[in-house]
């Protein structure tokens, strides 16, 4: 008989991420200062975010955080299909990933993994994509791990410019 219980680190990560949802939910994803507001409320160097990083490191090492591959430089996994109205997924990547549109927006926690990575030209930290936005996620100068919250899990995968 195989043990199918959730690892304690995965359960703790889920609890910490669920604790971010009220702040994300209250945010206007179209506001220019949305990422700054998240940083003020949950600083990347703060205790909660440092613990989230440590739990993500444990999850990558144990294989449950990003178990699937999308090419040689992109690994991904879904943490939660519905966490307070958001799908929560993780991606560990370098280089370019699939282009997509965010019908209702997207909120990302970007964690520098190797080197001094930039995500779409921005350093690690919070990033927010407003409703209707499109991008081709690109990490340069290293690798980055993302935990991203997508309202309603709504994403349109496309490669349009």
């Amino acid at each position: 008989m195989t043990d199918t219980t959730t690892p304690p680190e995965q359960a703790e990560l889920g609890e910490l991420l669920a604790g971010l949802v009220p702040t994300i939910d209250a945010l206007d994803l179209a506001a220019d200062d949305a990422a700054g507001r998240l940083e003020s409320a949950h600083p990347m160097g703060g205790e909660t975010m440092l613990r989230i990083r440590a739990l993500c490191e444990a999850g990558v090492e144990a294989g449950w955080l990003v178990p699937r591959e999308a090419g040689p430089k992109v690994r991904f996994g879904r943490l939660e299909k519905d966490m307070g109205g958001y799908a929560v997924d993780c991606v560990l990547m370098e280089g370019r990933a699939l282009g997509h549109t965010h019908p209702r927006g997207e909120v990302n926690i970007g964690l520098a993994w190797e080197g001094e990575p930039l995500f779409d030209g921005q350093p690690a930290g919070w990033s927010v994509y407003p409703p209707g936005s499109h991008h081709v996620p690109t990490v340069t100068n290293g690798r980055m791990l993302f935990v991203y919250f997508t309202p309603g899990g709504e994403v349109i995968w496309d490669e349009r410019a």
Side-chain angles (χ1 to χ4, degrees):
M1 184 172 190
T2 303
D3 181 21
T4 58
T5 60
T6 301
E9 294 87 356
Q10 186 175 358
E12 182 182 355
L13 179 60
E15 290 171 14
L16 289 174
L17 295 173
L20 303 176
V21 168
T23 304
I24 294 169
D25 208 34
L27 196 64
D28 175 0
L29 300 185
D32 289 340
D33 64 345
R37 287 178 178 261
L38 286 165
E39 176 63 24
S40 292
H42 302 286
M44 294 302 291
E47 185 179 326
T48 298
M49 299 308 288
L50 292 174
R51 184 64 184 151
I52 286 171
R53 181 190 176 84
L55 293 165
C56 287
E57 288 172 356
V60 169
E61 188 171 314
W64 54 259
L65 189 68
V66 287
R68 300 177 65 195
E69 257 184 44
K73 298 182 179 185
V74 179
R75 297 196 60 81
F76 66 98
R78 172 152 283 175
L79 280 175
E80 189 71 44
K81 185 176 181 177
D82 184 2
M83 181 181 285
Y86 297 86
V88 181
D89 298 273
C90 293
V91 175
L92 177 60
M93 65 175 280
E94 63 181 284
R96 186 176 183 271
L98 292 174
H100 58 277
T101 299
H102 312 105
R104 295 175 50 200
E106 180 180 271
V107 174
N108 300 294
I109 300 168
L111 304 169
W113 215 251
E114 291 176 1
E116 295 182 25
L118 299 175
F119 174 55
D120 292 350
Q122 300 297 313
W126 289 100
S127 60
V128 176
Y129 289 87
S133 62
H134 178 273
H135 74 132
V136 177
T138 305
V139 174
T140 56
N141 302 330
R143 293 173 75 198
M144 199 174 286
L145 177 93
F146 299 94
V147 177
Y148 60 96
F149 297 78
T150 310
E154 294 180 32
V155 176
I156 300 169
W157 299 100
D158 56 21
E159 286 293 327
R160 72 176 170 89

